[in-house]
């Protein structure tokens, strides 16, 4: 949808520039909101961060959807990105450091995912606000974020399959160990009651 409304003339769709801008920004903001919810479900960002992010999204959506001018729409988009990124930097910095120190592939990929999202977002925010000049890098940042996020999920799936295979191979042995533990506990209980 975002691509369609960025270049509607190619597809023979007659949409005004303000409607194109409005729809494009709403699609980008919604995609970022959904991405942040996926980070929340993976316990990379906490409940407070996702609440702040959702509130910021609702405010930005109001500006974008109801804004009468391009400037109002752009202020909704800019403020949303700034608030979102600052909130994530404040609340995710410690999480990123913790993930880097764990030496687990899963945690490393999760940390790189968050870090790339924050770095490339800050770059674009600083360019939009006129603080630096350079190239807009958000598409590259989002792509690397999704790649690292996907690698993290893949590692977890691989880990789960390895655990399943281990349990299948060693199920009988594991049952014997658990049976022995239960027998020992039963014996201890009988001795205590006697």
């Amino acid at each position: 949808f975002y691509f369609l409304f960025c270049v509607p003339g190619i597809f023979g769709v007659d949409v005004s520039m303000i409607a194109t801008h409005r729809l494009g920004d709403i699609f980008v903001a919604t995609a970022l909101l959904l991405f942040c919810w996926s980070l929340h479900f993976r316990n990379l960002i906490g409940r407070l961060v996702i609440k702040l992010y959702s509130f910021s999204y609702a405010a930005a959506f109001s500006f974008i959807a109801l804004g009468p001018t391009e400037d109002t729409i752009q202020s909704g988009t800019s403020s949303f990105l700034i608030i979102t990124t600052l909130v994530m930097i404040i609340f995710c910095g410690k999480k990123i450091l913790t993930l880097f120190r764990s030496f687990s592939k899963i945690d490393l990929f999760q940390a790189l995912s968050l870090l790339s999202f924050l770095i490339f977002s800050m770059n674009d925010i600083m360019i939009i606000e006129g603080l630096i000049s350079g190239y807009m890098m958000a598409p590259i940042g989002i792509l690397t974020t999704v790649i690292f996020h996907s690698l993290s999920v893949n590692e977890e799936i691989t880990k789960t399959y390895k655990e399943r295979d281990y349990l299948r191979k060693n199920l009988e042995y594991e049952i014997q160990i658990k049976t022995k533990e239960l027998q020992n506990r039963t014996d201890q209980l009988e001795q205590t009651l006697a």
Side-chain angles (χ1 to χ4, degrees), residues 136-155:
M136 300 292 277
M137 302 293 282
I140 294 170
I142 292 170
L143 179 64
T144 57
T145 299
V146 169
I147 289 170
F148 285 126
H149 193 62
S150 299
L151 288 170
S152 169
V153 170
N154 182 59
E155 283 298 315

Side-chain angles (χ1 to χ4, degrees), residues 188-194:
Q188 288 175 351
L189 185 60
E190 287 175 356
Q191 288 175 359
T192 304
L193 293 175

Side-chain angles (χ1 to χ4, degrees), residues 120-180:
F120 288 108
S121 294
M122 279 307 299
N123 174 71
D124 283 14
I125 288 169
M126 290 189 292
I127 290 171
I128 289 169
E129 296 302 318
L131 300 174
I132 63 172
S133 63
Y135 297 104
M136 300 292 277
M137 302 293 282
I140 294 170
I142 292 170
L143 179 64
T144 57
T145 299
V146 169
I147 289 170
F148 285 126
H149 193 62
S150 299
L151 288 170
S152 169
V153 170
N154 182 59
E155 283 298 315
E156 283 195 30
I157 291 169
T158 301
K159 181 180 169 185
T160 302
Y161 277 115
K162 285 180 181 179
E163 184 177 327
R164 181 207 62 190
D165 293 344
Y166 170 80
L167 291 173
R168 278 185 178 169
K169 288 179 184 176
N170 299 303
L171 182 60
E172 189 174 319
Y173 178 70
E174 293 288 328
I175 290 172
Q176 288 173 355
I177 290 174
K178 295 294 180 189
T179 304
K180 195 175 206 177

